[in-house]
Every structure is written in C-alpha cells, then in structure tokens.
Amino acid sequence: MSMPPEIKRYTVRLVSVMTLYCVALVGVNLWFRYAPPTGVMAYIAAILPAVPIALVFVVIGKLLVEMRDEYLRAQMVHDLLIVTGATLSITTAWGFLEGFGLVGSIKNYYVAILWFGLQGVAACVRGLLQARERADG
C-alpha cells in the first residue's frame, strides 16, 4: 500500500524539525559547557531547543489540515484530544503532589516528552484495536 502524499510531507517535515532539535540541543549543551553565554544571549540560547519542539506541533497541525481522509483525521483528532487531556491530568496531579511535598520537582520540558510518549501509546492502542476488529470481522 502506497503512503499518501500528505503523510510523506509530514514525515519529511517531522524528520527535519527533529534533526534541527538534535542539533540545537547538542549545540546549546556544548555552548553552555565550554563557553557559557551570558546575559540576554544565555536566555536566547537556552530557549533554542524549545523552538523545534514548538514546530513539531505546527507540523502536526499542517498534517491535520492536509489530510484528505476525514475518518483518519477524526481518529487523529480523537487521539490528540485524549493524549492532551491525559498529559494535562497527569501534570496537574503531579503539581498537587509536588505542592504538598509528596514528590520532587521535575523539569517542565518533560511535559512535552510525556505528551509525545502518550502519542506513541495511543498509536499502539489504536493499532491493537484495529487488529482486533480485523480479526473479529
């Protein structure tokens, strides 16, 4: 089965943005380790790895706009809503646990990692459910 053109474009965009993320992350870490920037430049440098992560959400949005198959688009929106709700619920619960001194603090950038991880879980669950439907039908 051939890959739809919008999925090909999404894949190219995603790989490009994640490559940019890796370069920014490694570059900024090396910069801070060997010649730490100061002042405003330190803030700009520290934020640089966040830019490609923000672009991932743009890439996902572009895919939703470009998707021609309405059923697959609806499935993706459904998964995104569940994953976003789960991420917000987990991080809010963690915040309360942290506020009451029951758990330690975590870095905020782990929220994006959690969201992406839950996307992977959602994709696996969707695949298992579709396999089960095919087996039953």
Side-chain angles (χ1 to χ4, degrees):
M1 184 170 166
S2 162
M3 188 183 302
E6 63 269 21
I7 300 297
K8 288 180 185 176
R9 287 190 300 272
Y10 165 78
T11 303
V12 168
R13 291 173 186 148
L14 187 63
V15 167
S16 300
V17 168
M18 292 313 294
T19 300
L20 182 60
Y21 170 70
C22 291
V23 169
L25 184 63
V26 170
V28 168
N29 274 289
L30 290 172
W31 190 3
F32 271 89
R33 179 176 290 172
Y34 294 109
T38 59
V40 173
M41 190 55 81
Y43 287 91
I44 292 170
I47 291 172
L48 277 177
V51 173
I53 296 300
L55 290 174
V56 169
F57 298 108
V58 172
V59 168
I60 291 169
K62 285 183 75 79
L63 174 60
L64 284 172
V65 169
E66 294 177 354
M67 283 185 100
R68 295 173 291 158
D69 187 321
E70 292 181 22
Y71 177 72
L72 291 178
R73 182 185 311 130
Q75 281 185 331
M76 187 173 176
V77 168
H78 178 262
D79 290 350
L80 290 170
L81 287 171
I82 288 173
V83 166
T84 301
T87 301
L88 291 171
S89 298
I90 291 167
T91 56
T92 300
W94 190 273
F96 280 109
L97 291 169
E98 185 180 328
F100 289 110
L102 300 173
V103 296
S105 180
I106 59 170
K107 304 285 186 207
N108 288 333
Y109 54 74
Y110 286 120
V111 174
I113 294 169
L114 174 64
W115 191 86
F116 292 127
L118 290 173
Q119 277 292 103
V121 171
C124 290
V125 168
R126 176 156 314 279
L128 290 172
L129 291 174
Q130 287 172 343
R132 186 174 159 190
E133 286 175 11
R134 282 192 299 270
D136 290 344

